[in-house]
Structure formats: C-alpha cells, structure tokens
C-alpha cells in the first residue's frame, strides 16, 4: 500500500494512544510500571471489569478489544516513526 497515513485503519477513537497519562490514576489503580504506556489508561477500566466479573472470559470483551486495539495503534505509530528516522 502506497500511503504513509496510519489513520486509515483507526475507527475507534476510544482506542487512541495517549501520551499524557494520568500517572496518579495509574498508580492508584495499581497498574504495573511496565504497563503504564500510551494505553495504560485503558487498563484501569479493563482491570475493574475483570475484577467485577470475577475474570469471566467473555465479560470484558469490549474493554479488552479497545486496549488491544490501542496497543496496535501505538505499535503502528512506533513503526512509522522508525521509518521516518530511517529516511533521514
């Protein structure tokens, strides 16, 4: 595919990676440091859902999908940045 835009795959605005995370909220929610990346904010709701549903596999599908989609978008951003750096 010829385009350089990463936005053509993005259909879920809730899954957008955020660089300005609320670090205090992540700390309060006990999100491990390794997961406090650009999608860490989504883990708060996902982990809350998991806890409330006693980790039923299908109970938090929407939250899990949104988190995984965010991680994918963040990966696309990293790949695009690497490609831009390689062209310089």
């Amino acid at each position: 595919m010829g385009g350089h835009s990463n936005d053509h795959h993005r259909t879920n605005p809730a899954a957008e990676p955020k660089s300005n995370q609320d670090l205090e909220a992540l700390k309060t929610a006990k999100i491990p440091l390794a997961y406090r990346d650009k999608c860490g904010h989504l883990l708060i709701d996902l982990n809350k859902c998991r806890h409330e549903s006693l980790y039923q596999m299908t109970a938090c599908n929407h939250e899990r999908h949104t988190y995984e989609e965010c991680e994918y978008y963040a990966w696309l951003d990293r790949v695009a940045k690497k490609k831009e750096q390689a062209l310089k």
Side-chain angles (χ1 to χ4, degrees):
M1 292 183 232
H4 287 96
S5 174
N6 289 328
D7 295 333
H8 67 282
H9 292 343
R10 300 183 183 203
T11 58
N12 183 0
E16 275 301 311
K18 290 173 39 178
S19 56
N20 57 338
Q21 295 290 327
D22 181 355
L23 298 179
E24 195 58 40
L26 294 172
K27 181 179 177 183
T28 301
K30 298 180 181 176
I31 303 298
L33 288 174
Y35 293 96
R36 295 182 192 181
D37 59 3
K38 291 184 176 189
C39 301
H41 62 289
L42 296 170
L43 275 178
I44 295 171
D45 291 334
L46 176 57
N47 286 346
K48 181 179 178 186
C49 178
R50 286 173 170 166
H51 180 74
E52 290 173 352
S53 68
L54 301 175
Y55 290 85
Q56 292 178 7
M57 281 183 69
T58 58
C60 305
N61 280 345
H62 175 71
E63 292 86 349
R64 183 179 51 81
H65 177 75
T66 302
Y67 172 72
E68 290 175 352
E69 193 173 11
C70 180
E71 289 292 342
Y72 174 67
Y73 293 162
W75 176 79
L76 286 176
D77 292 345
R78 289 192 304 272
V79 168
K81 192 172 183 177
K82 283 282 190 190
K83 285 182 181 178
E84 284 178 23
Q85 289 175 348
L87 293 176
K88 289 182 179 180

